[in-house]
Amino acid sequence: MTPPRTPQIPVVVLAGFLGSGKTTLLNHLLRNREGTRIGVIVNDFGAIEIDAMTVSGQVGSTVSLGNGCLCCAVDASELDTFLETLTRPSARLDVIVIEASGLAEPQELVRMLLASDNPHILYGGLVEVVDAAEFGRTRQRHPEIDRHLAVADLVVLNKTDRVGEAERERLRAAVAELSGPAAVISAVHGRIDPELLFDPALRPDHEDKVRQLTFEDLLREEAPDGHEGHDDHLHASYESVDFTSDIPMDPRRFMEFLDSRPDGLYRIKGFADFGAGDRDNTYALHAVGRFLRFVPRPWARGEQRLTQLVMIGAGIDAAALSAGLAACRADGAGRADEPGRADASDVERAMWGVLRYVQEQAPEPEVFDAHETADPREAAAEA
């Protein structure tokens, strides 16, 4: 049996103007990561406090945040070099977060990621953080925020505790109009559910049993009542919809569903079975905002052939989404994977809509020396 390949690492761009709360949100992710190893790239200059540590704003500096987390302060021109380092198997990271400069053009970072030749990364979305209390004044000083919101995949309306309920609803409507299909969620002190951005890491049992007490454990134990305790309810700001079908999906109808997915639907993840469209493979699906990728994988021997999807968003109609996916099943003329039940040429033509978004698996990782340095400057010198 072919060994499983190393999955691609999602790269999330965290953007927002100065004072919007990007670093606070990042600190929250680091403190509530539940064992997920996060690589942090700071595209900024100056002193940036991250998880009670200071990263000197010099290009090329790297600080370990503990438990496998790394933080790098870089210039945009050095982004590929640092991504190459952070995606090495020896770094053992699960997700990478790029905190963009408060005055950066986030779409440029997104273009760099989408154009990157690094086969180990996967675009994880552009998250734009907005200061609810300062939104009007920010638009006056920086009208380009309208352009930033227009390309965001997820908008976090932060500091909503500083405005009244009526003003909060007005701001939410204004931001939603500017951000189009992006999901908009409200937050206080940058506290959002980390599962909006990345999946919890699954570790071998022995790693949890022998791991050292961490900074995040202490924070969880020492958090005063009414502060971090609300994190247990962060999922209330969005909806999650599960869909499972043992009937293959009709590729044409499924692509029509994906092309017309509603506003506020931020992430779709899972696996799709296209039956007669491709009897040899299941298709891993990764969608964030308007970005979409399929990665085919051979069915394992004896594996149950299912379509299993999870949809995450804000302000979405769960019943309508479930009904829409159910209508995509290839059951109009019987199961599409049963011989003789579907016209082969028609199914093949329908699969072209899927194949437009296919991305090949990342190659097998190279084997590195166990003592290899994680310092990007040394890695760059070796190149």
Side-chain angles (χ1 to χ4, degrees), residues 233-252:
H233 307 287
L234 292 172
H235 62 275
S237 62
Y238 68 93
E239 295 83 32
S240 178
V241 182
D242 298 338
F243 177 82
T244 301
S245 174
D246 60 355
I247 299 174
M249 307 300 279
D250 178 279
R252 181 176 287 111

Side-chain angles (χ1 to χ4, degrees), residues 27-80:
N27 282 333
H28 166 75
L29 295 178
L30 291 167
R31 292 172 176 176
N32 296 274
R33 58 192 178 82
E34 297 295 341
T36 299
R37 295 188 174 98
I38 303 176
V40 179
I41 296 179
V42 180
N43 171 223
D44 209 343
F45 295 94
I48 302 172
E49 185 178 349
I50 295 181
D51 212 15
M53 293 185 176
T54 298
V55 177
S56 92
Q58 309 221 347
V59 174
S61 66
T62 302
V63 173
S64 172
L65 299 183
N67 302 312
C69 291
L70 298 172
C71 184
C72 312
V74 305
D75 183 81
S77 63
E78 300 292 330
L79 185 60
D80 277 337

Side-chain angles (χ1 to χ4, degrees), residues 280-322:
D280 297 327
N281 294 292
T282 179
Y283 283 72
L285 184 158
H286 169 78
V288 55
R290 299 289 108 181
F291 177 82
L292 174 65
R293 281 289 182 270
F294 287 101
V295 179
R297 172 183 64 78
W299 290 103
R301 182 177 299 178
E303 181 179 359
Q304 186 177 9
R305 301 199 170 200
L306 296 173
T307 292
Q308 296 177 296
L309 301 170
V310 178
M311 295 166 286
I312 301 172
I316 56 178
D317 187 333
L321 286 174
S322 296

Side-chain angles (χ1 to χ4, degrees), residues 162-227:
R162 297 177 57 191
V163 297
E165 183 176 351
E167 176 65 5
R168 184 163 58 245
E169 291 305 314
R170 187 193 69 79
L171 286 169
R172 185 182 179 87
V175 168
E177 183 178 358
L178 292 169
S179 59
V184 180
I185 62 171
S186 300
V188 176
H189 301 303
R191 295 198 292 267
I192 66 171
D193 193 327
E195 289 193 43
L196 268 171
L197 305 184
F198 50 81
D199 300 328
L202 299 177
R203 300 288 176 212
D205 290 340
H206 69 272
E207 285 196 18
D208 285 334
K209 291 177 182 177
V210 301
R211 77 180 180 90
Q212 207 172 347
L213 186 67
T214 67
F215 183 48
E216 68 180 55
D217 294 326
L218 295 174
L219 285 170
R220 191 173 294 110
E221 290 178 7
E222 296 176 2
D225 293 340
H227 182 58

Side-chain angles (χ1 to χ4, degrees), residues 11-33:
V11 181
V12 178
V13 177
L14 182 60
F17 284 93
L18 298 171
S20 61
K22 299 189 304 298
T23 303
T24 301
L25 191 155
L26 182 56
N27 282 333
H28 166 75
L29 295 178
L30 291 167
R31 292 172 176 176
N32 296 274
R33 58 192 178 82

